[in-house]
Amino acid sequence: MTSQYKVVNQSVKKVDGLALACGKPVFTGDVCDKNMLKVKMLFSPKAHARIKDIDTSKAEALEGVKCVLCYKNSPRIPRTTAGQGYPEPSPYDSVVFDNKVRFVGDRVAAIAATTLEIAEKAVDLIEVEYEELEPVLDPHEAMNDGAPIIHDEEDCKVIIPIAYEPEKNICAYVDANVGDCDKAIAESDFKFELTTHAPKAQHCATEPHISTAHLDDKDRIVIRTSTQVPFHVRRIVAGSLGIPVKKIRVIKPRVGGAFGSKQEVCFEDVVALVTLRTGLPCILEYTREEVFVSSRIRHEQYVTMKGGLNKDGKITALDMYVLSNTGAYGSHGLTVMCNCGSKVLPLYPTENIKFEGHAVYTNSPVAGAYRGYGATQAAFTMEIMIDQMAEALNQDPLEFRLSHHIKEGQGSPIFQALGEGKEGVEQTVKSCGLPQCIKLGAEEIGWKEKCNKQKDEGPIKRGIGMAALMQGSSVPEIDMASASLKMNEDGSFNLLVGATDLGTGSDTVLAQIAAEALGITEEDIIVYSSDTDMTPFDVGAYASSTTYLSGMAVKNAAEEVKKQIVQVTESMLQEKDAEYCFEEGIVKSSTGKSVTLSEVALYALYQENQFQIGTIGSAISHSSPPPFSAHFVEVAVDTETGKITIEKYVAAVDCGTAINPKLAEGQTEGAVFNGISYAMTENYILNDRGKMLNPNFRHYKTLKSNDIKEVKTILVPTFEPTGPYGAKSVSEISINGAMPAISNAVYNATGVRLLDAPFTPDRVLAAIKAKG
Amino acid sequence: MEVVLNINGEEKALQIEPGDILLDTLRSNGYMGHKRACSTGSCGACTVIIDDEAVNSCMVFTASAAGKKIETVEGLGTVSKPHPLQKNFVDAGAVQCGYCIPGMLMSAKALLKKNDSPSRDEVKEALSGNLCRCTGYVKQIDAVMKTAEELRGEK
């Protein structure tokens, strides 16, 4: 690929790749000291109960037990565990340990002991007297009059003005209206209405949640944790325990995958409290079962869409209603729901738009952030309805999308109407490669030849389907990132970023951005990420923000450092008003003279007017430019067994300038696989008392290497003028395509609409039989 | 009890309990490359090679590995002198978070020892016990295919 750039837009090797491939001890659990106390949690076996009493005396008496924590001896300061910026838009509806449990798997107590075996034994010795309450698991039922009230405590609250009615189990309510949807639909030639159901799901990051804590030489608490949000962890732990932020340092080592599950204070408060109480280092690591049950999951959602369409092809109205199951606590409840509208409705501009949603408490596992963040669930509904609209006009769904999608220069009132806890930000699309994504993706899958071909005669029916997608890049006017850049004697630089590499490759991407600006290679950038004592602030890795926003902060820092280097160069060369360019580690003057970066650094550090060349650059985002994508899938449906085989999947993505094309492809492939897995197999099976029956990889299936025949990724370059070197986000968007594209392909193959995921053979077969 | 384990060609006498699990024994003796992710033998993050077979070390009693040849990722290569599989995994962009990679490398190595010309489907099959959530396995399969070619001397 030819490129105007030297370092960005190149597939340089991941800066931490070899260390990881060599199994270096770089993860939180790899630095575990044998002397650390092992912490084990006692989880609730009840879906809904008050704890009348808890007797920990037998556990405490066990030799080796150093600390037992429960509601009786821990601070009661309501907070949210959602790792969001302050003031958080999630309700303050949890405390470190409560005297009420709200789902099977809720925290009851924690034991810290010298060995894991003792801790496990001690957990069994805790005697809890429960007053069992009726649970409610279904979000529809939770809103009924007389439903059990899950948050009846007096101190739960929201800290920003949003609709919060815990007495009705409503964690958040939102509505936004433009024009008059009802009237427009009533007057339309064609009317549409459908409801989809997207289930609960787990992120299944390979590394389970894990944190350690110890005291440093000044008795400050040092938390090492596998997190997406080190700065939010520091603030939330401080708030939860009532201690100052300055007493806490949070270090993020390498993270073994997160996908939203670690945008959450899952138990950093507990390890901190154990260490505060005992003065001893400790470690807490969830088992896989505990990750499934007690960490965080995707919001289960019922999304109802209505739409109007005229014979001339005009979409007259889009109306979306979201019922979102936030589980026992309201983590990300409001914002995931808002994202259903804000990342999906703007794709097809129309004059009448309505969005309404309830996020509802139930006694089921706690939902939180998950790659796609609501857009996954809502794109399922929208992209099926778009296919239905095309069918009503007897038009190719590809052509229908091409003529109706948002174009460069267009905005949407939804951008402004739906924000994250406050109004959104008005924006127009400045880069859109969707037409090219659709064209190239269609060619790759063979759309023209396959979409109208004769239907198969035998029991195996082949079909083809597509979906068009958009997401965002950061939360506008809320997210902030910063980066510190410092020059060394040999012309290398230390780049310290609060941005949090979760395996995404952001350390590499940010090094490339700095190197490009400074005219060096990424090998001369030494990256250190995410340590609240050492690196400047960054909100963390979420909302598809790192390349776009943290990348801008790095670029700002590099531009400032270049100014300082020019100043020093002018003094060294004794010239003024020359133009300088930075190439291959050399500062070249328009006068023909030049100095190396190393000479500049040595001069500044040791010779004249000495100072440290370096700065901290910050960036906040004023818009959230959407990446775009077109997904295509070919399926073979066995109408006798209900089994769907994915023959081929194509994802064409416009992420602006791909700073590292190979890593961008990797993000896309990972998201596509996760999306297909969610569409096809993943589900939480709860019994009628709220207990999860399949909390392991044998019964909760994620895709393996031999499950899909072929996946093809196509990057479509555009230039986003607001992004660093034209970049937009890439990490989330491609998880959103599989559910609607596969559903559309199955319809194309069989005439059956699948609206309830996952599309397991029993459901497919039932749908085929129901159709007759 | 004491056992002698042959780890990466080195004989090591270790004090263990009869019920100890190989993954724990390895990790508590400094072999941190292999990870605990499920403890039920269903994710492959702890895969090591025992007598040329890729196995989940979370499913193996340490005592039963005595006298057998254990290979871990630490014996594969180093940052300055990586094994071709390690180099090709990085070059292909197959390493994202990296948590599953040491296990996957061992599955790949065991495959190539038995079959120096695997088909793409055979590679997929060999890696099918190693769950990865970051990638779509595409680049790992590319990397194994490329390594096979290199080791055969074709590239």
Side-chain angles (χ1 to χ4, degrees):
Chain A
M1 193 193 290
T2 55
S3 170
Q4 57 178 310
Y5 304 114
K6 293 207 164 66
V7 193
V8 305
N9 202 216
Q10 309 295 329
S11 293
V12 308
K13 285 175 211 166
K14 203 158 167 287
V15 295
D16 52 347
L18 268 178
L20 292 164
C22 291
K24 291 277 177 196
V26 292
F27 294 95
T28 303
D30 295 343
V31 292
C32 176
D33 168 350
K34 278 178 190 159
N35 298 320
M36 280 177 167
L37 298 179
K38 309 298 183 293
V39 184
K40 198 74 197 161
M41 212 87 93
L42 171 64
F43 295 106
S44 169
K46 312 282 182 197
H48 197 191
R50 231 173 279 287
I51 301 177
K52 287 173 77 177
D53 196 16
I54 186 164
D55 182 353
T56 58
S57 56
K58 285 182 192 154
E60 279 167 75
L62 192 67
E63 197 182 331
V65 171
K66 299 289 178 187
C67 175
V68 182
L69 298 173
C70 67
Y71 74 93
K72 287 183 176 175
N73 64 353
S74 60
R76 185 177 183 91
I77 308 173
R79 47 69 205 262
T80 174
T81 55
Q84 300 176 298
Y86 180 82
E88 303 94 334
S90 296
Y92 281 21
D93 59 2
S94 71
V95 295
V96 182
F97 290 101
D98 206 347
N99 61 351
K100 189 180 180 189
V101 289
R102 297 177 180 84
F103 70 105
V104 176
D106 206 351
R107 295 173 178 189
V108 175
I111 299 271
T114 49
T115 70
L116 194 58
E117 293 68 33
I118 296 172
E120 282 166 351
K121 201 185 257 183
V123 161
D124 291 339
L125 294 174
I126 298 176
E127 290 168 5
V128 188
E129 196 184 333
Y130 293 104
E131 176 197 341
E132 208 163 340
L133 305 168
E134 195 51 37
V136 57
L137 302 175
D138 182 273
H140 303 88
E141 289 171 17
M143 287 205 298
N144 289 345
D145 288 339
I149 300 170
I150 296 166
H151 285 275
D152 52 358
E153 69 275 20
E154 279 178 4
D155 51 2
C156 64
K157 61 185 177 187
V158 285
I159 62 162
I160 56 171
I162 49 178
Y164 181 56
E165 294 180 277
E167 66 282 2
K168 294 181 180 169
N169 290 325
I170 292 170
C171 159
Y173 172 78
V174 161
D175 69 332
N177 243 313
V178 181
D180 187 339
C181 263
D182 292 348
K183 182 164 174 283
I185 291 172
E187 291 170 357
S188 296
D189 295 330
F190 303 103
K191 302 166 183 60
F192 304 87
E193 179 171 351
L194 78 155
T195 299
T196 56
H197 173 234
K200 303 178 183 74
Q202 226 289 315
H203 315 67
C204 300
T206 319
E207 179 198 34
H209 292 68
I210 182 166
S211 308
T212 71
H214 68 270
L215 295 179
D216 70 7
D217 53 355
K218 296 181 185 68
D219 272 359
R220 295 168 69 232
I221 302 165
V222 182
I223 302 170
R224 293 174 63 93
T225 184
S226 181
T227 183
Q228 296 175 235
V229 285
F231 286 89
H232 296 338
V233 167
R234 182 177 64 166
R235 191 190 76 246
I236 292 169
V237 170
S240 302
L241 302 183
I243 55 176
V245 161
K246 68 182 175 189
K247 293 287 280 182
I248 303 172
R249 173 181 178 185
V250 177
I251 299 171
K252 174 216 74 92
R254 304 322 295 169
V255 171
F259 317 109
S261 70
K262 295 170 183 170
Q263 194 196 338
E264 195 77 19
V265 178
C266 263
F267 47 62
E268 287 90 342
D269 52 343
V270 174
V271 291
L273 191 54
V274 165
T275 289
L276 261 183
R277 290 281 161 86
T278 61
L280 298 170
C282 72
I283 182 166
L284 173 49
E285 177 177 14
Y286 271 177
T287 64
R288 181 58 55 187
E289 178 170 349
E290 290 167 352
V291 171
F292 272 111
V293 175
S294 298
S295 70
R296 296 293 178 266
I297 64 171
R298 187 185 286 284
H299 287 81
E300 171 191 31
Q301 289 185 347
Y302 296 85
V303 179
T304 301
M305 281 200 74
K306 295 180 198 165
L309 177 74
N310 280 344
K311 284 178 183 158
D312 61 5
K314 184 181 177 181
I315 298 176
T316 57
L318 293 172
D319 175 336
M320 180 185 286
Y321 172 74
V322 175
L323 176 61
S324 186
N325 181 355
T326 193
Y329 298 95
S331 190
H332 301 268
L334 170 79
T335 42
V336 164
M337 181 173 74
C338 289
N339 228 38
C340 295
S342 64
K343 299 293 186 282
V344 173
L345 287 169
L347 188 54
Y348 302 100
T350 172
E351 287 153 20
N352 303 291
I353 313 174
K354 189 173 161 190
F355 178 82
E356 189 181 11
H358 285 99
V360 177
Y361 288 124
T362 62
N363 295 108
S364 48
V366 185
Y370 194 145
R371 195 176 205 173
Y373 208 77
T376 313
Q377 296 93 314
F380 182 22
T381 333
M382 170 70 106
E383 288 300 306
I384 291 174
M385 195 169 80
I386 291 296
D387 256 34
Q388 291 176 331
M389 287 182 165
E391 188 181 28
L393 295 173
N394 204 17
Q395 205 179 0
D396 182 341
L398 180 150
E399 297 296 335
F400 186 82
R401 285 181 175 85
L402 275 176
S403 51
H404 286 87
H405 77 80
I406 193 168
K407 310 289 188 310
E408 278 177 22
Q410 276 187 301
S412 166
I414 284 294
F415 286 132
Q416 194 172 5
L418 281 176
E420 294 224 340
K422 59 181 189 184
E423 258 204 354
V425 175
E426 194 180 344
Q427 64 174 14
T428 54
V429 171
K430 297 188 175 64
S431 58
C432 177
L434 188 54
Q436 191 70 356
C437 289
I438 291 176
K439 179 175 174 285
L440 295 177
E443 282 171 16
E444 178 64 37
I445 199 92
W447 180 266
K448 275 214 177 100
E449 310 84 83
K450 287 173 183 165
C451 74
N452 287 319
K453 74 172 178 57
Q454 201 72 29
K455 289 294 160 234
D456 301 292
E457 289 297 325
I460 310 286
K461 311 280 185 200
R462 297 171 83 88
I464 195 162
M466 72 170 295
L469 310 164
M470 60 172 275
Q471 194 85 21
S473 307
S474 78
V475 188
E477 305 292 354
I478 289 179
D479 286 351
M480 199 281 272
S482 52
S484 147
L485 198 57
K486 172 169 76 74
M487 192 177 194
N488 301 316
E489 284 100 323
D490 58 353
S492 68
F493 293 82
N494 292 103
L495 176 63
L496 308 182
V497 290
T500 310
D501 193 333
L502 313 169
T504 47
S506 66
D507 282 1
T508 307
V509 162
L510 297 178
Q512 286 178 266
I513 289 171
E516 181 72 35
L518 292 162
I520 55 179
T521 72
E522 78 290 348
E523 289 171 0
D524 284 323
I525 305 283
I526 307 148
V527 190
Y528 180 68
S529 57
S530 311
D531 175 335
T532 57
D533 267 15
M534 300 295 177
T535 63
F537 179 86
D538 189 296
V539 287
Y542 59 86
S544 284
S545 66
T546 305
T547 299
Y548 180 72
L549 180 63
S550 307
M552 264 193 282
V554 169
K555 190 157 180 280
N556 290 344
E559 297 297 342
E560 171 56 31
V561 161
K562 277 172 80 173
K563 281 186 200 159
Q564 296 176 12
I565 292 171
V566 164
Q567 244 176 33
V568 176
T569 305
E570 281 177 339
S571 157
M572 289 171 78
L573 299 178
Q574 303 210 320
E575 58 181 30
K576 252 199 170 330
D577 302 326
E579 298 283 323
Y580 296 93
C581 75
F582 288 61
E583 271 180 16
E584 292 167 1
I586 298 166
V587 188
K588 294 176 181 167
S589 164
S590 52
T591 62
K593 297 182 197 164
S594 68
V595 289
T596 66
L597 285 178
S598 175
E599 287 165 344
V600 170
L602 286 166
Y603 187 88
L605 290 171
Y606 299 106
Q607 290 165 288
E608 296 287 325
N609 302 321
Q610 286 150 268
F611 77 110
Q612 168 69 62
I613 293 176
T615 192
I616 294 178
S618 295
I620 94 151
S621 51
H622 301 294
S623 65
S624 180
F628 293 94
S629 187
H631 286 204
F632 295 85
V633 64
E634 186 181 4
V635 300
V637 185
D638 185 331
T639 52
E640 289 177 341
T641 65
K643 182 174 163 49
I644 301 170
T645 304
I646 308 291
E647 297 287 335
K648 182 165 180 171
Y649 197 102
V650 178
V653 189
D654 152 28
C655 60
T657 301
I659 300 293
N660 187 315
K662 207 157 252 178
L663 295 180
E665 282 174 19
Q667 285 295 306
T668 303
E669 287 158 7
V672 161
F673 262 72
N674 197 337
I676 297 173
S677 198
Y678 183 47
M680 301 290 286
T681 70
E682 295 182 34
N683 199 3
Y684 268 57
I685 303 168
L686 302 185
N687 70 11
D688 60 356
R689 306 306 290 173
K691 181 180 163 63
M692 186 186 185
L693 302 177
N694 59 333
N696 56 66
F697 285 142
R698 290 190 191 279
H699 301 105
Y700 182 102
K701 297 297 281 184
T702 63
L703 289 189
K704 306 191 302 290
S705 54
N706 56 356
D707 283 330
I708 303 291
K709 290 188 179 167
E710 189 183 359
V711 169
K712 176 87 182 167
T713 297
I714 301 166
L715 298 181
V716 171
T718 61
F719 188 89
E720 169 54 43
T722 67
Y725 299 108
K728 299 188 278 190
S729 82
V730 70
S731 58
E732 293 188 83
I733 183 167
S734 285
I735 200 169
N736 303 337
M739 276 197 302
I742 294 170
S743 179
N744 287 338
V746 169
Y747 181 76
N748 179 255
T750 64
V752 169
R753 281 272 173 220
L754 299 177
L755 302 175
D756 192 3
F759 310 141
T760 49
D762 54 325
R763 289 182 178 185
V764 176
L765 204 55
I768 290 170
K769 281 190 177 150
K771 185 174 167 274
Chain B
M1 61 187 277
E2 187 181 287
V3 288
V4 178
L5 296 184
N6 182 321
I7 307 171
N8 302 326
E10 249 181 275
E11 300 274 322
K12 294 224 165 185
L14 303 172
Q15 281 301 324
I16 63 158
E17 296 295 320
D20 280 359
I21 297 294
L22 182 59
L23 173 62
D24 298 325
T25 306
L26 289 172
R27 287 186 62 82
S28 58
N29 285 282
Y31 300 93
M32 289 293 193
H34 297 282
K35 312 299 182 191
R36 174 180 298 289
C38 76
S39 301
T40 56
S42 38
C43 80
C46 64
T47 307
V48 298
I49 297 175
I50 301 179
D51 286 349
D52 296 333
E53 292 289 335
V55 294
N56 289 312
S57 61
C58 74
M59 293 281 97
V60 176
F61 285 121
T62 307
S64 73
K68 295 182 181 169
K69 230 179 92 200
I70 303 165
E71 294 171 67
T72 74
V73 72
E74 286 84 0
L76 202 55
T78 61
V79 170
S80 47
K81 206 179 169 203
H83 184 278
L85 273 171
Q86 289 167 315
K87 181 182 175 298
N88 286 328
F89 264 57
V90 176
D91 288 355
V95 180
Q96 287 193 31
C97 84
Y99 204 78
C100 69
I101 295 298
M104 209 178 274
L105 288 167
M106 301 321 275
S107 295
K109 186 174 185 234
L111 167 73
L112 295 183
K113 170 118 197 213
K114 281 187 206 147
N115 179 357
D116 71 352
S117 314
S119 66
R120 237 182 134 76
D121 281 346
E122 284 169 333
V123 174
K124 282 185 180 183
E125 198 60 39
L127 300 184
S128 65
N130 297 88
L131 294 185
C132 170
R133 194 63 146 175
C134 293
T135 74
Y137 305 101
V138 179
K139 296 189 174 355
Q140 285 100 339
I141 298 163
D142 292 346
V144 178
M145 292 300 285
K146 180 154 185 265
T147 306
E149 281 172 23
E150 283 178 10
L151 294 179
R152 289 195 306 267
E154 287 172 17
K155 270 191 182 171

